[in-house]
Amino acid sequence: MLLRGGTSKGAYFLAGDLPEGAAERDALLLRAMGSPDPRQIDGLGGAHPLTSKVAVVSGSADPAADVDYLFLQVSVDKAEVSDRQNCGNLLAGVGPFAVERGLVEPADGVTSVRIRMVNSGDLALATFPTEGGRVVYEGDAEISGVPGSAAPVVIEFPRGSAPLMPTGHARDLVAGTPVTCVDNGMPTVLIAASSLGVTGYEAPKDLEEDPALAGRLREIRLEAGRLMGLGDVANATVPKLTLLAPPRDGGTVMTRTFIPVRCHTSIGVLGAASVAAGLRLEGGVGHAVAHLPERGDRLRIEHPTGFLDIEAGVEYGPGDDMPVARRTAVVRTARKIFDGTVFPRSADTAPIPAPSQGGPR
Ligand code: NQM
């Protein structure tokens, strides 16, 4: 099934419909999405990392979850499939897909689905309207970066147990640049745009076409990746890099996020959760740039196509300099685009088998 989840789009599969072995599964997904090819002309992918995504969903053996969700980033122009990051945008489609495929019984009114995110082991709760046994996609929730409106999918992440500061510091000097390395669901490096000689208000395309900036960002990413305990990140999609500038439209901060080479047209959900938590770290690089609200957990993260409102709090224990995230919550929307059969090779007559559980509704 192809769904838009938040500001991304991806192919959602039942785990049981894919080969068990990772190598065979990834080869099949590359063919299904049309990679490697900058245009993905021979597959479902949309020629951008934000539209070359896969969600693999199954019932969960974890008593704390209803379904397991494995996110796979399919490279556009390389023969690579990565499970090293999570995706909070495709997460918005997981609950509706689980109902569509009969993995979760819908309630009358709203349905909540407990999701175990296999990539990180973290839990999320997604709540969305359902009526008469069906998912309701129509609604009046609007999110920046998506035209029109749709039914809200409220996503909550419980209090985090992992430390927010993977390097142990709120600020590090990396490749000569002050940064804040933070992980509230997505390993992210925060950098004041001004420290890289840009404003942070440029169009994503203009930033992507600046070779000097690309070089600096790569240098920072490789060194920050090691400091964050991620090892050699030369071919990884994490950490992300977010440039920060003062807000322009009454929000908390303006952002430009590299994922990690292309510049995001908006911002990822977990990316925004990490930015929000990072801005609250005492001594972090965001403090001088952001306009943090005096009260409350809600922050408005401005990005190239609007803003993303997120509730994210940070808790310092008594005498504790290792803060953790309090509950994080965000509103997204999702849309079922089509449900059908994908042929992994153009010459194949045998499609990926029809859904084995439930069946399309
Ligand atoms: O941060 C893009 C997206 C994402 C990730 C990326 C995401 C998240 O916007 O939760 O959703 O950072 O590669 O889909």
Side-chain angles (χ1 to χ4, degrees), residues 5 7-9 49-50 53 71 73 85-91 157 185-186 237 240 257-260 264 266-273 332:
T7 49
S8 283
K9 189 157 57 178
L50 298 178
K53 302 187 161 207
F71 169 67
Q73 179 71 55
Q85 75 161 83
N86 220 331
C87 177
N89 271 308
L90 279 210
L91 176 61
F157 305 100
M186 182 69 74
T237 58
K240 312 290 176 188
T257 300
F258 289 81
I259 57 172
H264 207 306
S266 53
I267 191 167
V269 171
L270 293 159
R332 298 275 84 189

PDB file of all heavy atoms in Angstrom, residues 5 7-9 49-50 53 71 73 85-91 157 185-186 237 240 257-260 264 266-273 332, ligand 1:
ATOM      1  N   GLY A   5       2.702   9.609   4.717  1.00  0.00           N
ATOM      2  CA  GLY A   5       2.748   9.706   6.176  1.00  0.00           C
ATOM      3  C   GLY A   5       3.387  11.041   6.499  1.00  0.00           C
ATOM      4  O   GLY A   5       4.557  11.259   6.170  1.00  0.00           O
ATOM      5  N   THR A   7       4.893  14.412   6.030  1.00  0.00           N
ATOM      6  CA  THR A   7       5.423  15.064   4.825  1.00  0.00           C
ATOM      7  C   THR A   7       6.287  14.112   3.994  1.00  0.00           C
ATOM      8  O   THR A   7       7.097  14.558   3.185  1.00  0.00           O
ATOM      9  CB  THR A   7       6.254  16.309   5.217  1.00  0.00           C
ATOM     10  OG1 THR A   7       7.166  15.934   6.257  1.00  0.00           O
ATOM     11  CG2 THR A   7       5.376  17.436   5.710  1.00  0.00           C
ATOM     12  N   SER A   8       6.138  12.809   4.228  1.00  0.00           N
ATOM     13  CA  SER A   8       6.859  11.822   3.431  1.00  0.00           C
ATOM     14  C   SER A   8       5.871  10.869   2.761  1.00  0.00           C
ATOM     15  O   SER A   8       4.680  10.869   3.085  1.00  0.00           O
ATOM     16  CB  SER A   8       7.810  11.003   4.317  1.00  0.00           C
ATOM     17  OG  SER A   8       8.966  11.752   4.621  1.00  0.00           O
ATOM     18  N   LYS A   9       6.384  10.059   1.876  1.00  0.00           N
ATOM     19  CA  LYS A   9       5.525   9.091   1.178  1.00  0.00           C
ATOM     20  C   LYS A   9       6.288   7.786   1.107  1.00  0.00           C
ATOM     21  O   LYS A   9       7.503   7.792   0.880  1.00  0.00           O
ATOM     22  CB  LYS A   9       5.240   9.632  -0.223  1.00  0.00           C
ATOM     23  CG  LYS A   9       4.221   8.872  -0.991  1.00  0.00           C
ATOM     24  CD  LYS A   9       3.582   9.707  -2.085  1.00  0.00           C
ATOM     25  CE  LYS A   9       4.555  10.280  -3.080  1.00  0.00           C
ATOM     26  NZ  LYS A   9       3.890  11.036  -4.142  1.00  0.00           N
ATOM     27  N   PRO A  49      14.864  11.450  -1.192  1.00  0.00           N
ATOM     28  CA  PRO A  49      14.845  10.575   0.002  1.00  0.00           C
ATOM     29  C   PRO A  49      13.501  10.580   0.727  1.00  0.00           C
ATOM     30  O   PRO A  49      13.115   9.580   1.336  1.00  0.00           O
ATOM     31  CB  PRO A  49      15.947  11.164   0.893  1.00  0.00           C
ATOM     32  CG  PRO A  49      16.804  12.008   0.013  1.00  0.00           C
ATOM     33  CD  PRO A  49      16.001  12.386  -1.188  1.00  0.00           C
ATOM     34  N   LEU A  50      12.755  11.691   0.648  1.00  0.00           N
ATOM     35  CA  LEU A  50      11.480  11.770   1.392  1.00  0.00           C
ATOM     36  C   LEU A  50      10.364  10.967   0.734  1.00  0.00           C
ATOM     37  O   LEU A  50       9.300  10.757   1.331  1.00  0.00           O
ATOM     38  CB  LEU A  50      11.032  13.226   1.519  1.00  0.00           C
ATOM     39  CG  LEU A  50      11.990  14.124   2.307  1.00  0.00           C
ATOM     40  CD1 LEU A  50      11.471  15.558   2.338  1.00  0.00           C
ATOM     41  CD2 LEU A  50      12.176  13.607   3.741  1.00  0.00           C
ATOM     42  N   LYS A  53      10.832   5.651   0.653  1.00  0.00           N
ATOM     43  CA  LYS A  53      10.817   5.087   2.003  1.00  0.00           C
ATOM     44  C   LYS A  53       9.924   3.846   2.053  1.00  0.00           C
ATOM     45  O   LYS A  53       8.968   3.751   1.292  1.00  0.00           O
ATOM     46  CB  LYS A  53      10.274   6.130   2.983  1.00  0.00           C
ATOM     47  CG  LYS A  53      11.102   7.401   2.971  1.00  0.00           C
ATOM     48  CD  LYS A  53      10.674   8.370   4.054  1.00  0.00           C
ATOM     49  CE  LYS A  53      11.803   9.355   4.298  1.00  0.00           C
ATOM     50  NZ  LYS A  53      11.794   9.889   5.627  1.00  0.00           N
ATOM     51  N   PHE A  71      11.427   0.695   9.798  1.00  0.00           N
ATOM     52  CA  PHE A  71      11.566   1.687   8.738  1.00  0.00           C
ATOM     53  C   PHE A  71      12.810   1.388   7.905  1.00  0.00           C
ATOM     54  O   PHE A  71      13.877   1.103   8.465  1.00  0.00           O
ATOM     55  CB  PHE A  71      11.677   3.101   9.330  1.00  0.00           C
ATOM     56  CG  PHE A  71      12.079   4.122   8.300  1.00  0.00           C
ATOM     57  CD1 PHE A  71      11.213   4.444   7.266  1.00  0.00           C
ATOM     58  CD2 PHE A  71      13.326   4.712   8.320  1.00  0.00           C
ATOM     59  CE1 PHE A  71      11.582   5.339   6.270  1.00  0.00           C
ATOM     60  CE2 PHE A  71      13.715   5.620   7.335  1.00  0.00           C
ATOM     61  CZ  PHE A  71      12.829   5.939   6.311  1.00  0.00           C
ATOM     62  N   GLN A  73      15.109   3.081   4.768  1.00  0.00           N
ATOM     63  CA  GLN A  73      15.372   4.170   3.815  1.00  0.00           C
ATOM     64  C   GLN A  73      16.008   3.555   2.579  1.00  0.00           C
ATOM     65  O   GLN A  73      17.086   2.945   2.670  1.00  0.00           O
ATOM     66  CB  GLN A  73      16.317   5.199   4.446  1.00  0.00           C
ATOM     67  CG  GLN A  73      16.669   6.351   3.520  1.00  0.00           C
ATOM     68  CD  GLN A  73      15.491   7.305   3.289  1.00  0.00           C
ATOM     69  OE1 GLN A  73      14.922   7.829   4.240  1.00  0.00           O
ATOM     70  NE2 GLN A  73      15.125   7.525   2.033  1.00  0.00           N
ATOM     71  N   GLN A  85      18.098   4.374  10.721  1.00  0.00           N
ATOM     72  CA  GLN A  85      17.355   5.506  11.270  1.00  0.00           C
ATOM     73  C   GLN A  85      15.887   5.163  11.334  1.00  0.00           C
ATOM     74  O   GLN A  85      15.419   4.216  10.716  1.00  0.00           O
ATOM     75  CB  GLN A  85      17.542   6.756  10.423  1.00  0.00           C
ATOM     76  CG  GLN A  85      16.755   6.725   9.111  1.00  0.00           C
ATOM     77  CD  GLN A  85      16.584   8.091   8.509  1.00  0.00           C
ATOM     78  OE1 GLN A  85      17.468   8.583   7.837  1.00  0.00           O
ATOM     79  NE2 GLN A  85      15.422   8.719   8.725  1.00  0.00           N
ATOM     80  N   ASN A  86      15.175   5.963  12.090  1.00  0.00           N
ATOM     81  CA  ASN A  86      13.751   5.827  12.246  1.00  0.00           C
ATOM     82  C   ASN A  86      13.069   6.845  11.348  1.00  0.00           C
ATOM     83  O   ASN A  86      13.732   7.714  10.804  1.00  0.00           O
ATOM     84  CB  ASN A  86      13.437   6.162  13.706  1.00  0.00           C
ATOM     85  CG  ASN A  86      12.388   5.248  14.249  1.00  0.00           C
ATOM     86  OD1 ASN A  86      11.556   4.767  13.490  1.00  0.00           O
ATOM     87  ND2 ASN A  86      12.418   5.022  15.530  1.00  0.00           N
ATOM     88  N   CYS A  87      11.754   6.790  11.196  1.00  0.00           N
ATOM     89  CA  CYS A  87      11.058   7.854  10.465  1.00  0.00           C
ATOM     90  C   CYS A  87       9.726   8.134  11.137  1.00  0.00           C
ATOM     91  O   CYS A  87       8.813   7.312  11.117  1.00  0.00           O
ATOM     92  CB  CYS A  87      10.841   7.474   9.006  1.00  0.00           C
ATOM     93  SG  CYS A  87       9.900   8.735   8.131  1.00  0.00           S
ATOM     94  N   GLY A  88       9.635   9.314  11.726  1.00  0.00           N
ATOM     95  CA  GLY A  88       8.409   9.713  12.438  1.00  0.00           C
ATOM     96  C   GLY A  88       7.314  10.153  11.500  1.00  0.00           C
ATOM     97  O   GLY A  88       6.154  10.248  11.902  1.00  0.00           O
ATOM     98  N   ASN A  89       7.662  10.437  10.234  1.00  0.00           N
ATOM     99  CA  ASN A  89       6.614  10.805   9.289  1.00  0.00           C
ATOM    100  C   ASN A  89       5.898   9.564   8.771  1.00  0.00           C
ATOM    101  O   ASN A  89       4.668   9.484   8.852  1.00  0.00           O
ATOM    102  CB  ASN A  89       7.202  11.649   8.150  1.00  0.00           C
ATOM    103  CG  ASN A  89       7.168  13.126   8.508  1.00  0.00           C
ATOM    104  OD1 ASN A  89       6.124  13.659   8.888  1.00  0.00           O
ATOM    105  ND2 ASN A  89       8.296  13.791   8.414  1.00  0.00           N
ATOM    106  N   LEU A  90       6.647   8.561   8.307  1.00  0.00           N
ATOM    107  CA  LEU A  90       5.967   7.313   7.888  1.00  0.00           C
ATOM    108  C   LEU A  90       5.228   6.681   9.062  1.00  0.00           C
ATOM    109  O   LEU A  90       4.226   5.992   8.876  1.00  0.00           O
ATOM    110  CB  LEU A  90       6.960   6.306   7.305  1.00  0.00           C
ATOM    111  CG  LEU A  90       7.403   6.461   5.858  1.00  0.00           C
ATOM    112  CD1 LEU A  90       7.742   5.103   5.254  1.00  0.00           C
ATOM    113  CD2 LEU A  90       6.415   7.179   4.979  1.00  0.00           C
ATOM    114  N   LEU A  91       5.713   6.940  10.277  1.00  0.00           N
ATOM    115  CA  LEU A  91       5.038   6.433  11.484  1.00  0.00           C
ATOM    116  C   LEU A  91       3.551   6.821  11.493  1.00  0.00           C
ATOM    117  O   LEU A  91       2.703   6.069  11.959  1.00  0.00           O
ATOM    118  CB  LEU A  91       5.760   7.022  12.713  1.00  0.00           C
ATOM    119  CG  LEU A  91       5.214   6.727  14.098  1.00  0.00           C
ATOM    120  CD1 LEU A  91       5.238   5.227  14.380  1.00  0.00           C
ATOM    121  CD2 LEU A  91       6.053   7.461  15.152  1.00  0.00           C
ATOM    122  N   PHE A 157       5.174  10.107  22.066  1.00  0.00           N
ATOM    123  CA  PHE A 157       6.328   9.295  22.457  1.00  0.00           C
ATOM    124  C   PHE A 157       6.446   9.408  23.964  1.00  0.00           C
ATOM    125  O   PHE A 157       6.444  10.518  24.502  1.00  0.00           O
ATOM    126  CB  PHE A 157       7.614   9.820  21.805  1.00  0.00           C
ATOM    127  CG  PHE A 157       7.529   9.919  20.306  1.00  0.00           C
ATOM    128  CD1 PHE A 157       7.281  11.133  19.678  1.00  0.00           C
ATOM    129  CD2 PHE A 157       7.685   8.790  19.515  1.00  0.00           C
ATOM    130  CE1 PHE A 157       7.193  11.225  18.301  1.00  0.00           C
ATOM    131  CE2 PHE A 157       7.601   8.865  18.132  1.00  0.00           C
ATOM    132  CZ  PHE A 157       7.352  10.093  17.527  1.00  0.00           C
ATOM    133  N   GLY A 185      15.248  10.645  19.583  1.00  0.00           N
ATOM    134  CA  GLY A 185      14.598   9.811  18.579  1.00  0.00           C
ATOM    135  C   GLY A 185      15.304   9.864  17.234  1.00  0.00           C
ATOM    136  O   GLY A 185      15.095   8.992  16.390  1.00  0.00           O
ATOM    137  N   MET A 186      16.120  10.900  16.997  1.00  0.00           N
ATOM    138  CA  MET A 186      16.882  11.015  15.750  1.00  0.00           C
ATOM    139  C   MET A 186      18.211  11.683  16.069  1.00  0.00           C
ATOM    140  O   MET A 186      18.222  12.829  16.536  1.00  0.00           O
ATOM    141  CB  MET A 186      16.109  11.881  14.741  1.00  0.00           C
ATOM    142  CG  MET A 186      16.786  12.016  13.397  1.00  0.00           C
ATOM    143  SD  MET A 186      16.798  10.458  12.479  1.00  0.00           S
ATOM    144  CE  MET A 186      15.087  10.339  11.968  1.00  0.00           C
ATOM    145  N   THR A 237      22.730   7.452   6.985  1.00  0.00           N
ATOM    146  CA  THR A 237      21.791   8.573   6.823  1.00  0.00           C
ATOM    147  C   THR A 237      21.684   9.403   8.107  1.00  0.00           C
ATOM    148  O   THR A 237      20.942  10.383   8.157  1.00  0.00           O
ATOM    149  CB  THR A 237      20.392   8.069   6.423  1.00  0.00           C
ATOM    150  OG1 THR A 237      19.935   7.170   7.436  1.00  0.00           O
ATOM    151  CG2 THR A 237      20.430   7.340   5.094  1.00  0.00           C
ATOM    152  N   LYS A 240      21.614  13.590  11.326  1.00  0.00           N
ATOM    153  CA  LYS A 240      21.122  14.699  10.519  1.00  0.00           C
ATOM    154  C   LYS A 240      21.801  15.964  11.023  1.00  0.00           C
ATOM    155  O   LYS A 240      22.282  16.008  12.166  1.00  0.00           O
ATOM    156  CB  LYS A 240      19.601  14.842  10.683  1.00  0.00           C
ATOM    157  CG  LYS A 240      18.809  13.565  10.557  1.00  0.00           C
ATOM    158  CD  LYS A 240      18.778  13.025   9.167  1.00  0.00           C
ATOM    159  CE  LYS A 240      18.034  11.689   9.133  1.00  0.00           C
ATOM    160  NZ  LYS A 240      18.127  11.043   7.843  1.00  0.00           N
ATOM    161  N   THR A 257      17.338  21.558   7.559  1.00  0.00           N
ATOM    162  CA  THR A 257      17.860  20.264   8.002  1.00  0.00           C
ATOM    163  C   THR A 257      18.416  19.457   6.832  1.00  0.00           C
ATOM    164  O   THR A 257      17.733  19.293   5.810  1.00  0.00           O
ATOM    165  CB  THR A 257      16.738  19.460   8.705  1.00  0.00           C
ATOM    166  OG1 THR A 257      16.290  20.226   9.827  1.00  0.00           O
ATOM    167  CG2 THR A 257      17.248  18.106   9.196  1.00  0.00           C
ATOM    168  N   PHE A 258      19.608  18.964   6.990  1.00  0.00           N
ATOM    169  CA  PHE A 258      20.242  18.120   5.963  1.00  0.00           C
ATOM    170  C   PHE A 258      20.069  16.658   6.379  1.00  0.00           C
ATOM    171  O   PHE A 258      20.377  16.303   7.519  1.00  0.00           O
ATOM    172  CB  PHE A 258      21.717  18.497   5.811  1.00  0.00           C
ATOM    173  CG  PHE A 258      21.878  19.833   5.148  1.00  0.00           C
ATOM    174  CD1 PHE A 258      21.736  21.012   5.873  1.00  0.00           C
ATOM    175  CD2 PHE A 258      22.096  19.915   3.785  1.00  0.00           C
ATOM    176  CE1 PHE A 258      21.827  22.251   5.253  1.00  0.00           C
ATOM    177  CE2 PHE A 258      22.193  21.142   3.156  1.00  0.00           C
ATOM    178  CZ  PHE A 258      22.059  22.321   3.890  1.00  0.00           C
ATOM    179  N   ILE A 259      19.573  15.801   5.419  1.00  0.00           N
ATOM    180  CA  ILE A 259      19.162  14.442   5.797  1.00  0.00           C
ATOM    181  C   ILE A 259      19.969  13.326   5.141  1.00  0.00           C
ATOM    182  O   ILE A 259      19.375  12.337   4.733  1.00  0.00           O
ATOM    183  CB  ILE A 259      17.655  14.273   5.496  1.00  0.00           C
ATOM    184  CG1 ILE A 259      17.324  14.549   3.999  1.00  0.00           C
ATOM    185  CG2 ILE A 259      16.816  15.140   6.372  1.00  0.00           C
ATOM    186  CD1 ILE A 259      15.902  14.221   3.590  1.00  0.00           C
ATOM    187  N   PRO A 260      21.261  13.276   5.154  1.00  0.00           N
ATOM    188  CA  PRO A 260      22.160  14.316   5.640  1.00  0.00           C
ATOM    189  C   PRO A 260      22.802  15.105   4.496  1.00  0.00           C
ATOM    190  O   PRO A 260      23.546  16.039   4.762  1.00  0.00           O
ATOM    191  CB  PRO A 260      23.214  13.498   6.391  1.00  0.00           C
ATOM    192  CG  PRO A 260      23.328  12.247   5.598  1.00  0.00           C
ATOM    193  CD  PRO A 260      21.970  11.993   4.975  1.00  0.00           C
ATOM    194  N   HIS A 264      16.177  19.032   3.639  1.00  0.00           N
ATOM    195  CA  HIS A 264      14.751  18.711   3.830  1.00  0.00           C
ATOM    196  C   HIS A 264      13.890  19.898   3.401  1.00  0.00           C
ATOM    197  O   HIS A 264      14.240  21.044   3.681  1.00  0.00           O
ATOM    198  CB  HIS A 264      14.520  18.418   5.321  1.00  0.00           C
ATOM    199  CG  HIS A 264      13.370  17.492   5.594  1.00  0.00           C
ATOM    200  ND1 HIS A 264      12.099  17.722   5.123  1.00  0.00           N
ATOM    201  CD2 HIS A 264      13.290  16.346   6.306  1.00  0.00           C
ATOM    202  CE1 HIS A 264      11.304  16.746   5.534  1.00  0.00           C
ATOM    203  NE2 HIS A 264      11.997  15.895   6.245  1.00  0.00           N
ATOM    204  N   SER A 266      10.939  20.320   4.604  1.00  0.00           N
ATOM    205  CA  SER A 266      10.311  20.757   5.858  1.00  0.00           C
ATOM    206  C   SER A 266      11.231  20.284   6.988  1.00  0.00           C
ATOM    207  O   SER A 266      12.360  20.743   7.099  1.00  0.00           O
ATOM    208  CB  SER A 266       8.866  20.250   5.971  1.00  0.00           C
ATOM    209  OG  SER A 266       8.777  18.852   5.779  1.00  0.00           O
ATOM    210  N   ILE A 267      10.755  19.367   7.822  1.00  0.00           N
ATOM    211  CA  ILE A 267      11.624  18.764   8.852  1.00  0.00           C
ATOM    212  C   ILE A 267      10.991  17.441   9.265  1.00  0.00           C
ATOM    213  O   ILE A 267       9.755  17.300   9.234  1.00  0.00           O
ATOM    214  CB  ILE A 267      11.804  19.701  10.070  1.00  0.00           C
ATOM    215  CG1 ILE A 267      12.921  19.175  10.998  1.00  0.00           C
ATOM    216  CG2 ILE A 267      10.517  19.913  10.844  1.00  0.00           C
ATOM    217  CD1 ILE A 267      13.396  20.178  12.049  1.00  0.00           C
ATOM    218  N   GLY A 268      11.802  16.461   9.622  1.00  0.00           N
ATOM    219  CA  GLY A 268      11.274  15.181  10.090  1.00  0.00           C
ATOM    220  C   GLY A 268      10.637  15.334  11.472  1.00  0.00           C
ATOM    221  O   GLY A 268      10.931  16.285  12.201  1.00  0.00           O
ATOM    222  N   VAL A 269       9.782  14.381  11.819  1.00  0.00           N
ATOM    223  CA  VAL A 269       9.109  14.429  13.129  1.00  0.00           C
ATOM    224  C   VAL A 269      10.117  14.201  14.253  1.00  0.00           C
ATOM    225  O   VAL A 269      10.206  14.987  15.207  1.00  0.00           O
ATOM    226  CB  VAL A 269       8.006  13.349  13.185  1.00  0.00           C
ATOM    227  CG1 VAL A 269       7.437  13.225  14.578  1.00  0.00           C
ATOM    228  CG2 VAL A 269       6.924  13.682  12.189  1.00  0.00           C
ATOM    229  N   LEU A 270      10.869  13.108  14.134  1.00  0.00           N
ATOM    230  CA  LEU A 270      11.849  12.827  15.188  1.00  0.00           C
ATOM    231  C   LEU A 270      13.004  13.814  15.101  1.00  0.00           C
ATOM    232  O   LEU A 270      13.613  14.168  16.114  1.00  0.00           O
ATOM    233  CB  LEU A 270      12.322  11.376  15.085  1.00  0.00           C
ATOM    234  CG  LEU A 270      11.190  10.401  15.410  1.00  0.00           C
ATOM    235  CD1 LEU A 270      11.467   9.022  14.836  1.00  0.00           C
ATOM    236  CD2 LEU A 270      10.962  10.311  16.904  1.00  0.00           C
ATOM    237  N   GLY A 271      13.261  14.291  13.878  1.00  0.00           N
ATOM    238  CA  GLY A 271      14.239  15.367  13.715  1.00  0.00           C
ATOM    239  C   GLY A 271      13.794  16.589  14.517  1.00  0.00           C
ATOM    240  O   GLY A 271      14.588  17.190  15.251  1.00  0.00           O
ATOM    241  N   ALA A 272      12.520  16.951  14.393  1.00  0.00           N
ATOM    242  CA  ALA A 272      11.994  18.107  15.128  1.00  0.00           C
ATOM    243  C   ALA A 272      12.002  17.838  16.636  1.00  0.00           C
ATOM    244  O   ALA A 272      12.257  18.743  17.447  1.00  0.00           O
ATOM    245  CB  ALA A 272      10.579  18.431  14.663  1.00  0.00           C
ATOM    246  N   ALA A 273      11.728  16.578  17.021  1.00  0.00           N
ATOM    247  CA  ALA A 273      11.752  16.227  18.454  1.00  0.00           C
ATOM    248  C   ALA A 273      13.165  16.422  19.006  1.00  0.00           C
ATOM    249  O   ALA A 273      13.356  16.911  20.127  1.00  0.00           O
ATOM    250  CB  ALA A 273      11.297  14.779  18.649  1.00  0.00           C
ATOM    251  N   ARG A 332       0.220  14.835  13.062  1.00  0.00           N
ATOM    252  CA  ARG A 332       0.515  14.583  11.651  1.00  0.00           C
ATOM    253  C   ARG A 332      -0.789  14.213  10.956  1.00  0.00           C
ATOM    254  O   ARG A 332      -1.834  14.051  11.592  1.00  0.00           O
ATOM    255  CB  ARG A 332       1.491  13.413  11.496  1.00  0.00           C
ATOM    256  CG  ARG A 332       2.844  13.604  12.126  1.00  0.00           C
ATOM    257  CD  ARG A 332       3.813  14.342  11.210  1.00  0.00           C
ATOM    258  NE  ARG A 332       3.627  15.773  11.312  1.00  0.00           N
ATOM    259  CZ  ARG A 332       4.215  16.657  10.512  1.00  0.00           C
ATOM    260  NH1 ARG A 332       4.974  16.265   9.535  1.00  0.00           N
ATOM    261  NH2 ARG A 332       4.010  17.954  10.673  1.00  0.00           N
TER     262      ARG A 332
HETATM  263  O1  NQM B   1      12.755  12.678  11.626  1.00  0.00           O
HETATM  264  C1  NQM B   1      13.484  12.538   6.932  1.00  0.00           C
HETATM  265  C2  NQM B   1      11.091  12.613   7.171  1.00  0.00           C
HETATM  266  C3  NQM B   1      12.431  12.244   7.693  1.00  0.00           C
HETATM  267  C4  NQM B   1      12.594  11.557   8.939  1.00  0.00           C
HETATM  268  C5  NQM B   1      14.854  12.302   7.316  1.00  0.00           C
HETATM  269  C6  NQM B   1      11.494  11.706   9.900  1.00  0.00           C
HETATM  270  C7  NQM B   1      11.800  11.961  11.304  1.00  0.00           C
HETATM  271  O2  NQM B   1      10.760  13.791   7.120  1.00  0.00           O
HETATM  272  O3  NQM B   1      11.023  11.481  12.117  1.00  0.00           O
HETATM  273  O4  NQM B   1      10.328  11.616   9.599  1.00  0.00           O
HETATM  274  O5  NQM B   1      15.282  12.930   8.270  1.00  0.00           O
HETATM  275  O6  NQM B   1      15.502  11.518   6.643  1.00  0.00           O
HETATM  276  O7  NQM B   1      10.331  11.731   6.776  1.00  0.00           O
END
